[in-house]
């Protein structure tokens, strides 16, 4: 089965979630079932780069990873869009694992795939109110229950925070799934800003705000508060 691929790049570091700082290669798939208001990857679903989509078989993706990285990687991050829309990704996951490559994947938790249980580091990132999307908690409940029972790797929750309403949403999610590690990440609403210095200053202030709010919270006792690390290093550049 051929998979719709928009980008393959790296090695670089993972800038988000449970694997922040991990040296990795990125494989970005096209397509998403959400349209978040602040999405920093709208090009994966808004049609603006549809001519750049390559339909690739798993073996071809593996060849491209090796051609770019030259043996300098042992970890692959599958990103989107929402890669969970692609049932055929299971074959690519199997191929990576057959070559002793660890796999990270992020999805909003809107669609289950059986191959989730084979992901080493699976991040579920339900979208808060600022996204204008609505979480289907029945699906997320079943997903987390299935992962607890069957997953070979690890699973975590990640919520991007832009305002106090998002923070209240994060509290509700944390209380609903208290045994699932929760990462809170400051949101970037300056995705068009090309001045890296101004962007960094802005994001550091936002990160400080989020840290202070979490420190004040009684509900958020056991969470990790993260920056979006790659924006601190490279701003809003793509493919890094």
């Amino acid at each position: 089965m051929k998979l719709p691929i928009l980008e393959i790049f790296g090695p670089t570091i993972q800038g988000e979630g449970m694997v922040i700082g991990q040296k990795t290669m990125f494989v970005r798939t096209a397509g998403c079932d959400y349209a978040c208001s602040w999405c920093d990857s709208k090009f994966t679903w808004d049609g603006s780069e549809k001519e750049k989509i390559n339909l690739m078989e798993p073996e071809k993706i593996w060849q491209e990873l090796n051609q770019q990285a030259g043996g300098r990687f042992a970890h692959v991050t599958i990103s989107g869009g929402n890669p969970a829309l692609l049932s055929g990704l299971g074959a690519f996951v199997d191929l990576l694992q057959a070559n002793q490559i660890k796999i990270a994947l992020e999805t909003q938790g809107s669609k289950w795939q059986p191959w989730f249980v084979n992901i080493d580091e699976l991040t579920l990132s339900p979208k808060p109110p600022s996204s204008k999307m609505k979480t289907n908690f029945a699906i997320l409940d079943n997903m987390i229950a299935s992962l607890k029972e069957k997953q070979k790797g690890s699973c975590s929750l990640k919520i991007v925070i832009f305002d106090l309403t998002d923070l209240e949403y994060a509290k509700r999610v944390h209380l609903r799934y208290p045994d699932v590690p929760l990462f809170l990440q400051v949101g970037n609403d300056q995705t068009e800003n090309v001045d890296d210095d101004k962007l960094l200053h802005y994001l550091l202030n936002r990160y400080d705000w989020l840290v202070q709010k979490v420190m004040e919270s009684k509900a958020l006792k056991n969470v990790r508060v993260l920056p979006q690390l790659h924006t601190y290093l490279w701003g809003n550049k793509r493919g890094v």
Side-chain angles (χ1 to χ4, degrees):
M1 181 179 291
K2 293 185 177 182
L3 302 167
I5 305 299
L6 263 172
E7 293 181 317
I8 298 174
F9 62 92
T12 183
I13 60 165
Q14 172 58 257
E16 304 184 1
M18 66 191 295
V19 287
I20 190 168
Q22 170 70 52
K23 181 180 178 181
T24 190
M25 292 292 291
F26 272 86
V27 175
R28 188 184 298 279
T29 64
C32 193
D33 50 335
Y34 276 20
C36 295
S37 61
W38 37 251
C39 180
D40 61 1
S41 304
K42 289 183 179 179
F43 60 91
T44 63
W45 52 262
D46 67 2
S48 61
E49 297 193 9
K50 60 183 179 181
E51 74 283 354
K52 296 182 181 180
I53 298 172
N54 291 313
L55 295 177
M56 303 176 70
E57 295 177 348
E59 186 61 41
K60 182 64 176 177
I61 302 171
W62 174 243
Q63 291 173 6
E64 181 64 23
L65 286 166
N66 281 283
Q67 182 175 342
Q68 289 194 27
R72 292 175 291 135
F73 73 104
H75 189 280
V76 167
T77 298
I78 303 173
S79 184
N82 184 10
L85 298 179
L86 304 174
S87 59
L89 261 176
F92 181 53
V93 169
D94 291 343
L95 178 60
L96 290 176
Q97 291 189 327
N99 286 277
Q100 291 77 52
I101 302 296
K102 286 194 173 183
I103 308 157
L105 183 141
E106 181 176 320
T107 176
Q108 57 261 45
S110 59
K111 184 175 177 59
W112 169 262
Q113 291 290 354
W115 48 260
F116 278 3
V117 300
N118 295 321
I119 299 296
D120 297 291
E121 296 148 333
L122 179 66
T123 297
L124 303 177
S125 184
K127 305 309 177 187
S130 62
S131 70
K132 310 302 182 187
M133 301 291 106
K134 188 173 181 180
T135 302
N136 186 325
F137 280 103
I139 292 176
L140 193 57
D141 287 348
N142 290 332
M143 190 174 296
I144 289 175
S146 295
L147 289 168
K148 284 183 177 180
E149 180 182 353
K150 303 174 183 177
Q151 192 187 16
K152 299 172 184 176
S154 57
C155 170
S156 68
L157 288 158
K158 188 196 81 177
I159 300 175
V160 180
I161 305 296
F162 285 86
D163 54 35
L164 290 176
T165 304
D166 289 351
L167 199 59
E168 289 301 314
Y169 170 88
K171 292 176 184 177
R172 295 196 301 271
V173 171
H174 190 43
L175 291 171
R176 192 180 188 103
Y177 312 110
D179 298 330
V180 181
L182 174 62
F183 295 80
L184 302 182
Q185 179 180 296
V186 65
N188 176 12
D189 57 2
Q190 301 284 313
T191 56
E192 302 300 319
N193 192 336
V194 296
D195 188 322
D196 291 352
D197 290 337
K198 288 183 178 179
L199 177 64
L200 177 58
H201 180 73
Y202 174 80
L203 292 176
L204 282 170
N205 285 334
R206 295 299 296 162
Y207 184 44
D208 179 65
W209 170 83
L210 179 57
V211 168
Q212 293 304 317
K213 291 301 178 184
V214 172
M215 295 309 104
E216 296 167 3
S217 173
K218 293 181 179 179
L220 298 170
K221 295 178 182 178
N222 189 24
V223 302
R224 300 184 188 184
V225 188
L226 300 179
Q228 196 179 38
L229 184 58
H230 57 279
T231 59
Y232 287 22
L233 295 171
W234 301 300
N236 288 314
K237 296 183 182 71
R238 281 174 52 183
V240 292

